[in-house]
Structure formats: C-alpha cells, structure tokens
C-alpha cells in the first residue's frame, strides 16, 4: 500500500524548484496574470496558471503517494498545458492512476503477449537513452502508472515502481505505433526530450 510521506521541508522544495526550472524551459510569450483564466502561450501550446500547493497536496492525498519532484514542480509552475485533448498534460483534477482514468489503455498494454515475457531482467530493463530497446518494458507495471497526459496518439505515464534516490519516478511514453514503452529516468527527462523534438520541427 502506498502512503503519503510527511510534507517536504522548505529548503528541499526551494532546491527542487531551482533544479527543475520549468520557467526557463517553457517560456511564455505572454505572461499569465494572477487570477487570470486565460492561459499563456508556450512552445508546447497553452500553459495554464499554476496549481496551488494546497491543490497539489490534495492530489497527493487522493493518490495516496507523494509526487516525484520534477512533476510536482511542473504543476506548481503550470497546472497543465494544451487545449487539444490529443495533445495535453492533464490538470491536477484530471490526473489519476491509469487503471482508473483510462482502463482500456491499462488493459491493452498490461495484457501478456505470447511473444513477450513481462519478467524483463534488470540488465535489459534498466537501459535508457539511445541504447534502450523500447520492447523491454514491464507490462505488469502499466495499471499502476500515473496518467500525466496525452500526445501524438500516446500517453505520458509516471511509474511509481521505479524510483531514484531523489524520489523521481520512471517516466514512460506509450503509443500504439511503438513496439513498447519509451522510458526515461524521470518526468523531467521525458519533457526535455519532447521539447527538443518540438523545437526541432
């Protein structure tokens, strides 16, 4: 069973805010004024006003777990982005476990396939970057992932089963046109990869 940890100390939160400087990576063309319902425009589309600390903690209580630092800081910078249902990061009220929010995706990607074993050994599983083979993912983790958003016919997921010492969760990108999951050490790494691809277009 997952449990919410004690609230993080202020010094740690400030350090994480500096480490995951979303404002430097998602520069808005027009700043959002406090209390405004109008989103800013970023390279990835509409950025929504930040979630409050209370809203993020409420989400953590609902999920029963503390969010990974880079994703938590993103929500405190912008409570979701994108107005297109097919290309967006979800707002705090929409975020949830994949098995609850989108059970059809959870079922289709977690069902064992005859040609694959879900017991992927560590030496194949814990490979990231260019050397990774996306077919080596653990389908048994899929229902327990956190659905963070949708883009390019796929989903952005956070996997609580694989965590770093700093509390980051492994991040996945699953899409029907991929043979498996593109996996990253953290949500930050996934987002930076996506930004690089979009700037290159």
């Amino acid at each position: 069973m997952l449990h919410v940890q004690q609230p993080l100390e202020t010094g740690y939160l400030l350090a994480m805010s500096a480490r995951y400087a979303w404002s430097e990576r998602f520069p808005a063309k027009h700043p959002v004024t406090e209390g405004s319902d109008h989103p800013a425009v970023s390279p990835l589309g509409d950025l929504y006003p930040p979630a409050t600390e209370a809203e993020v903690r409420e989400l953590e209580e609902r999920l029963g777990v503390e969010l990974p630092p880079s994703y938590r800081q993103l929500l405190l910078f912008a409570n979701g982005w994108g107005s297109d249902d097919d290309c967006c990061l979800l707002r705090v009220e929409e975020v949830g476990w994949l098995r609850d929010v989108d059970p059809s995706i959870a079922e289709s990607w977690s069902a064992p396939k005859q040609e694959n074993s879900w017991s992927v050994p560590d030496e194949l599983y814990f490979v990231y970057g260019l050397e990774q083979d996306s077919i080596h993912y653990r389908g048994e983790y899929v229902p327990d992932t956190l659905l963070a958003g949708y883009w390019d016919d796929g989903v952005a997921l956070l996997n609580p089963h694989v965590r770093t010492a700093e509390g980051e969760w492994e991040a996945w990108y699953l899409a029907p046109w991929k043979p498996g999951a593109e996996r990253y050490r953290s949500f930050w790494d996934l987002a930076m990869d996506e930004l690089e691809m979009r700037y290159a277009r």
Side-chain angles (χ1 to χ4, degrees), residues 26-42:
F26 291 77
K29 293 179 182 175
H30 305 288
V32 176
T33 57
E34 189 173 344
S36 171
D37 292 330
H38 299 288
V41 178
S42 82

Side-chain angles (χ1 to χ4, degrees), residues 10 26 50 59 72 77 82 110 135 147 183 189 194 199 201:
T10 302
F26 291 77
L59 171 61
R72 196 177 200 280
F77 166 68
S110 61
I135 200 168
L147 178 60
R183 295 178 297 100
D189 289 349
E194 178 67 11
Y199 273 126
R201 290 175 186 173

Side-chain angles (χ1 to χ4, degrees), residues 9 17 56 71 74 142 156-157 193:
E9 295 181 4
S17 180
V56 173
Y71 180 60
L74 183 279
V142 173
L157 306 170
D193 191 55

Side-chain angles (χ1 to χ4, degrees), residues 83-95:
S83 56
D84 186 338
D85 289 341
D86 294 326
C87 189
C88 67
L89 279 180
L90 302 176
R91 306 182 77 177
V92 289
E93 61 269 24
E94 302 167 317
V95 173

